[in-house]
Amino acid sequence: MRLFNYSLLLLSLIILSGCNAKKEKEKNTASLSDRYKNDFYIGTALSADQIEEKNPAVDSLIKKEFNAITAENIMKSMFIHPFKDQYDFTLSDKFIAYGEKNKMFIHGHTLIWHSQLAPWMQKIKDSTEMKAFMKDHITTIVTKYKGRVDSWDVVNEALNEDGSLRKSIFLNTLGERYLVDAFKFAAAADPKVDLYYNDYNNEEPAKREGNINLIKKIKAGGGKIDGVGIQAHWKLQHPSLEEIEKSILAYSALGIKVAFTELDISVLPNPKDLNGADVNQNFESNAKMNPYPQTLPDSVQVKLAERYASIFKLFLKHKDKISRVTFWGVHDGQSWLNDWPIKGRTNYPLLFDKNLKPKKAYNSVMELKETKQ
């Protein structure tokens, strides 16, 4: 009897050891894109250095964790079309090749945006010249990558916080018709590619209503629009899950896809008069506005993890409506929030820290998918 019990105990220990080893292996090899592959794409924004694969450790992390990519800056007008008769596709070619090599979903960002324009574009005053520029710019870029880019942000940030149209150089020279034309030009250049309108704070009630009206006008004018991008530059307490959910439902009801395109969650205080996520806004720095210059306290790490978990739980609830969730950066050290809206701060908005280590927030998102949905 004793021999039997000893043998049984030994067998149990072997089985337990095997199970633990299997769990440890799964933990080490599991990734965001694998866990969510049946739900939606998990993407990240790539910097120029990342596109050129300058850091092997970062490159390895990108390839493991993500299956969709967006160019952080290099496809914006000032970089890809620096002079009237000159395009520079050097880095965008590498970006497309990177996505193709790694079998990733490739998102183009962005064709028409009032910010980060080349200096020569800002001097256009004539409506005929502006429309010709728009047509040439959109047609040239979209045609070049026809069949290779999966979706485009055709127009970026055309709305004010109250839902009215931003008085951009495009609106001032062409009127609101420019929105319809932009989508028509893109669709003509590549009829099969998905076309998105992208903005920040468009989960807020007033701006959401303006965005809905904008989408309806584009459709009524004969423009092809396949989805809306909610940038999702959020905070620990704001916006509410209720408003995010209302937005998913409202946009989906228009018959379009919903993507969360620039997700990050700031853990730092911001100036009271901060308005949205306009890159042109800057404020003076002080110690109160930079409370965690060296490391993020564990108590805040926990809050960040809980916030990410609640958001992804909502995303999973509506996964049939969501096409892609993209983080705005690979790791904390890369985040634009270290310099905006106050330069020189240390923020911790992503799932990986500056040393490329997964944070509690990463674990909280992964744990949602540990059991089959």
Side-chain angles (χ1 to χ4, degrees), residues 255-272:
I256 61 173
K257 301 172 185 178
V258 179
F260 293 90
T261 58
E262 305 181 17
L263 177 60
D264 50 29
I265 298 175
S266 175
V267 299
L268 301 184
N270 277 327
K272 290 182 179 179

Side-chain angles (χ1 to χ4, degrees), residues 9-253:
L9 178 61
L10 184 61
L11 180 61
S12 298
L13 289 172
I14 292 171
I15 293 172
L16 182 61
S17 177
C19 289
N20 289 338
K22 184 179 179 182
K23 286 182 179 179
E24 189 63 28
K25 183 179 179 181
E26 287 176 349
K27 182 179 178 181
N28 292 334
T29 59
S31 71
L32 287 166
S33 58
D34 283 341
R35 287 278 172 91
Y36 286 84
K37 64 182 178 182
N38 296 322
D39 306 309
F40 35 72
Y41 286 104
I42 297 289
T44 187
L46 301 185
S47 68
D49 283 353
Q50 290 162 355
I51 290 166
E52 295 193 286
E53 303 178 66
K54 290 186 176 180
N55 185 319
V58 174
D59 190 52
S60 178
L61 180 65
I62 293 166
K63 291 172 181 176
K64 178 189 175 188
E65 299 290 344
F66 305 102
N67 57 10
I69 53 172
T70 299
E72 188 177 30
N73 279 302
I74 57 98
M75 298 185 96
K76 292 173 181 174
S77 298
M78 65 184 293
F79 300 109
I80 204 168
H81 196 175
F83 303 101
K84 185 174 183 178
D85 300 315
Q86 181 182 328
Y87 287 85
D88 185 350
F89 294 116
T90 306
L91 282 173
S92 58
D93 282 349
K94 291 180 179 180
F95 169 71
I96 302 299
Y98 186 96
E100 290 176 336
K101 179 177 68 174
N102 295 296
K103 296 180 173 57
M104 293 171 161
F105 182 96
I106 301 171
H107 180 72
H109 176 78
T110 173
L111 295 170
I112 298 298
W113 186 30
H114 66 276
S115 189
Q116 289 185 260
L117 293 168
W120 71 270
M121 298 173 188
Q122 299 173 32
K123 297 176 183 178
I124 300 174
K125 305 295 183 184
D126 178 74
S127 60
T128 303
E129 185 181 357
M130 179 60 80
K131 187 171 182 178
F133 151 68
M134 265 185 47
K135 184 175 183 179
D136 175 74
H137 183 80
I138 293 171
T139 304
T140 300
I141 297 170
V142 176
T143 300
K144 177 175 174 60
Y145 297 118
K146 181 179 180 180
R148 301 175 69 192
V149 167
D150 296 291
S151 60
W152 282 101
D153 285 332
V154 178
V155 178
N156 194 50
E157 300 176 3
L159 294 169
N160 294 312
E161 296 306 294
D162 63 0
S164 62
L165 289 175
R166 181 192 294 270
K167 293 189 183 300
S168 67
I169 189 171
F170 302 106
L171 184 68
N172 292 340
T173 54
L174 295 172
E176 62 182 68
R177 179 71 194 181
Y178 88 88
L179 294 157
V180 176
D181 286 340
F183 281 87
K184 282 188 171 183
F185 294 151
D190 187 350
K192 294 182 179 180
V193 73
D194 276 357
L195 305 178
Y196 280 72
Y197 172 75
N198 190 56
D199 213 327
Y200 60 83
N201 286 359
N202 51 344
E203 71 284 344
E204 298 290 345
K207 198 166 188 177
R208 179 173 65 227
E209 191 61 32
N211 201 158
I212 289 169
N213 292 333
L214 181 152
I215 292 165
K216 288 180 177 178
K217 286 180 180 179
I218 291 170
K219 286 190 169 188
K224 173 183 178 287
I225 179 167
D226 302 287
V228 62
I230 299 173
Q231 289 185 13
H233 295 299
W234 293 336
K235 300 176 180 64
L236 288 174
Q237 302 295 333
H238 188 84
S240 69
L241 294 177
E242 180 183 10
E243 291 303 336
I244 298 170
E245 184 169 36
K246 284 181 181 178
S247 301
I248 295 171
L249 295 172
Y251 291 130
S252 179

Side-chain angles (χ1 to χ4, degrees), residues 50 55 57-58 61 292-296 301 330-335 338 345-359:
Q50 290 162 355
N55 185 319
V58 174
L61 180 65
Y292 319 120
Q294 301 300 326
T295 186
L296 189 65
Q301 291 273 17
V330 177
H331 58 87
D332 287 343
Q334 176 193 354
S335 177
N338 293 314
R345 296 199 300 176
T346 305
N347 212 325
Y348 306 82
L350 300 169
L351 301 188
F352 297 92
D353 66 23
K354 64 182 180 180
N355 297 315
L356 313 184
K357 300 299 183 184
K359 294 154 61 177

Side-chain angles (χ1 to χ4, degrees), residues 319-339:
K319 62 184 181 180
D320 60 317
K321 306 171 187 69
I322 297 171
S323 58
R324 175 172 50 93
V325 176
T326 290
F327 294 88
W328 204 239
V330 177
H331 58 87
D332 287 343
Q334 176 193 354
S335 177
W336 73 301
L337 291 173
N338 293 314
D339 282 317

